[in-house]
Amino acid sequence: MGEVQVTAGQRITAAVLNNLPVTVSPLATGSVASSAAETVVGSFTIPAGDPVATFGYRLVCMGTADDTGTPTLTIRARLTSAGGTLLAGYGALTCRSGITGMPWSVKSEIFFPVTGAGGSFDWDGCLYQQLSVSPGTVLTTASYGNAADTTAPVLIVITAQWGASSASNICRTLDGGLGRI
């Protein structure tokens, strides 16, 4: 369940194929507009029983935002729902005025030191963004010892919350995936 190089002319074996990265969950996309409530804009599902102790996953979520004025936008990662366990809170970004289609992305790694009904996982991630008055600023966060029952599906959600409600304030996810590493 790691990455292996395959070269031209190399014999392909089951061991080599079994060690190639596997996409486990594509991003389920969404958006939020005309709201100042924390809203799920994307989600990934790790299937029940899929996590293996000491192995993990890499998550990538890409999106864009539009705004009017200079509202704040907070992007978070949580378990289960907008009110679920906080994995990462990337702070309230003060957005530049009148942005349209400005990119942002969350890139994270998740490892499971313990699996099963009493499982746990560790999270480390970054938010890359071009939205704020300091575009290009990378925000990082980590959380350890998160409880997770890996005998059930593990739902990871990406949320967005505007500081002011406006039909022109839109945050959306576009693409992404979660794969084994």
Side-chain angles (χ1 to χ4, degrees):
M1 292 203 310
E3 293 186 36
V4 209
Q5 293 289 354
V6 179
T7 58
Q10 176 183 349
R11 284 188 49 153
I12 301 296
T13 64
V16 169
L17 292 175
N18 289 337
N19 281 313
L20 292 174
V22 175
T23 298
V24 175
S25 176
L27 172 70
T29 61
S31 65
V32 59
S34 299
S35 175
E38 184 175 1
T39 304
V40 173
V41 294
S43 65
F44 301 94
T45 302
I46 299 173
D50 194 70
V52 175
T54 72
F55 285 94
Y57 301 85
R58 180 166 291 129
L59 169 150
V60 177
C61 174
M62 295 175 279
T64 61
D66 310 337
D67 76 15
T68 186
T70 55
T72 59
L73 175 62
T74 303
I75 297 174
R76 298 178 181 98
R78 293 186 179 272
L79 282 181
T80 313
S81 67
T85 301
L86 180 66
L87 301 174
Y90 295 105
L93 299 167
T94 300
C95 295
R96 292 180 283 156
S97 180
I99 62 174
T100 301
M102 293 305 292
W104 59 269
S105 67
V106 172
K107 297 178 181 173
S108 298
E109 287 81 32
I110 307 148
F111 287 89
F112 288 83
V114 179
T115 58
S120 67
F121 70 94
D122 302 327
W123 169 281
D124 182 46
C126 298
L127 170 68
Y128 301 87
Q129 56 83 28
Q130 295 296 318
L131 313 167
S132 75
V133 292
S134 301
T137 302
V138 176
L139 305 165
T140 62
T141 189
S143 61
Y144 303 104
N146 299 289
D149 177 359
T150 62
T151 64
V154 177
L155 181 65
I156 298 170
V157 299
I158 305 299
T159 67
Q161 183 173 13
W162 288 103
S165 177
S166 168
S168 297
N169 293 345
I170 306 165
C171 184
R172 65 188 69 79
T173 55
L174 301 173
D175 199 5
L178 179 133
R180 289 189 197 113
I181 54 173

